[in-house]
Each structure stands twice: as C-alpha cells, then as structure tokens.
Amino acid sequence: MRKLTPFLCMLLCLVLLCPCGMASMYESTRDPDPIPVLSEDEIPPTPEGIEHYMLICVDRWEADPKNLGHTDGLILATVDTYARRVMLTSFIRDMLVLRPDGDFGRINNICSKFGADQNGIETLVGVINSHFGLKIDKYIVVDFGQVERIVDAVGGVDITITDKEANYLKNYRISPSSTEPAIDAGGTYHFSGHAAVIYMRIRRVQTISGATQDVGRTERARTVLTTIGDSLKDCTYERAVEIMDAVLSNTVMTNMTAADMTQALSIALDLKGTPIESIRMPIDGTYELMPVAGMATQQIDYIENRKALDDFLFGSFVVME
C-alpha cells in the first residue's frame, strides 16, 4: 500500500473538513447584480431587410431530441439585405441570465431546465431576446456529429493554428488524415469535419488573438463559420442546393419551414462573397466572474452589451432614392 505524501495528507484533510468539497471554489461572496431584461413589448421590431437565424449546437455527438443536454454553441447569423451585410454574433455559454422562473442561471442550462424538447429551445431563444433586445424567431439545432457532416459536405475548411493549438490537437490524437497535411506545428491546414469540431472545442489553449476558455471557443466557432462562408463565394445554385440539403438532413430540430429555407437560400446566393463581420457577446470589459450555486458564471453588463450589439447589427444605413 502506498504511503500518502504530506501534501496529499493535507489535501485529504481539507476535503474531509469542508462539507462542500471543491464546489466551494465557486461559492460567491455576494449576490449577483439585478439583470435588466426587456419585455416583448419593450423590444423594438427588427428593421426591414434584416433576418436573424439562431444556430444552436448541443454538447453531444448524437443528440436525443427529448434530452438535448447543454446548449454550448450559440451563434446568431444576421443578414441585412439592404446594407448587404452578413454578421455573426456569438454568445459565451457561461453567461449569467435571469431565467423565466425568476432565478439566476447559466444560459447553456436553460434548455434542459425548461424542457429538453422544442419548448426548451424556444425558451432559450426567448431569454436571448429579452437580455439583448432582439426579436429572433428562426432557429436550427445541431449536435457535434451533424456539424462534422455539414463541414464535410462543404468540402472542409482551411484554418490557421498556433503551435500550442497544434500540440493540443496532436495530443488529442485526432487522426493524421483528418487534416491536410497532417498537423505538425503552427500553420494553415485543411480541416475535415471531425478535426474542425475538435478545434472548435479547444478551451485551455489561447487562440491567435490570445483568447481562452469560452471566449476562445466562441472565437474558434466564428472562425470556422467565417471560413466556410468565404469558401463559398463562388458557389453555384446547384451547389448551394446540395449544401442546404446537407444542412436539412443534419439537424436535431428547426422551426424553419420550406419557405423559410428557400428564402435563406435566395439571400445567401444574393450576398455570396460579402465579407462576414463578427462580434462576441459580451464585449471586452463588460463581464466578470460570478460564482452562483456552485457554478462558474460570468456576470454581464447587459446595458452596455445591448447597446454594442444594436450598434453592430443595426448601425449601418443606406441612402435610397
């Protein structure tokens, strides 16, 4: 039998003496600040010519529609057909929100708390609307396996990675054949769907911009989506239909009708080649760690972020005769 080192003995004593165990690391010394959510009547209508599409990825490789789990990937795709803009807004998964029952919670837990079916997803979309002053109504839900197949359907993506990201991916033991060429060090590689998903899930390694944890994850997700968009700037109508079919056959659920999909396809073809702009919610300097009920969450200044998002999405204008 191995003898415990003095350090392990001390650690064991601490665990035994603290009934809350390691969860005490996430006990807050103060209550969260009030969150100023907006009622549906207080949210202004979406300007004419703008369409929102909420892209939601659940934290599973094969999701059960009746038990989706955590919604860790939240990206809003917005198109402005008048100003001819394509925009991506990513939301970090651990932001603190005010739930419909009046309690605080993490945004990625809303779906499982209020029903892991379509009602839970609609509740999640409603929370995003009330916290950020939006009127999103169209959404698509996918899992990791479906994202992998969709990326493969568009032919993969070219991604530039750092040396640290390369080491992480090699240590994760992704197949050498999942990138072209096989990952060796930092550089630009052609990623297959599986490699792209693993890349997007990196948390503990800095991105090229220096972001880590959930902020880094949202940046990597935007990178993949932006790269896909850029690669399709010369897409033909026939190819666009093939890609739309691949998306439709790889969704857990969606409330978009056939007419909605046709409209989205038409907009995509009209705006192909348009540079993709992006923003992260929350913006820098507007959030802080706020442990709540044993969970690590981020307390957000929603007033500042609503203004920043409104300026980003709706700040452009066109002069019409």
Side-chain angles (χ1 to χ4, degrees), residues 214-227:
D214 290 325
V215 173
R217 273 188 170 181
T218 60
E219 180 180 319
R220 290 185 176 98
R222 293 196 308 272
T223 295
V224 171
L225 288 177
T226 300
T227 305

Side-chain angles (χ1 to χ4, degrees), residues 38-47 50-54 76-78 91 125-139 255 309-310 313-314:
L38 301 175
S39 68
E40 189 172 351
D41 292 339
E42 293 174 314
I43 301 173
T46 303
I50 290 181
E51 294 288 341
H52 293 307
Y53 304 95
M54 193 69 213
L76 175 66
T78 303
F91 302 86
V125 173
V127 167
I128 295 172
N129 284 336
S130 66
H131 285 64
F132 291 95
L134 301 172
K135 284 189 178 292
I136 307 165
D137 58 5
K138 301 181 182 72
Y139 59 80
N255 67 343
L309 186 57
D310 185 84
L313 294 177
F314 311 125

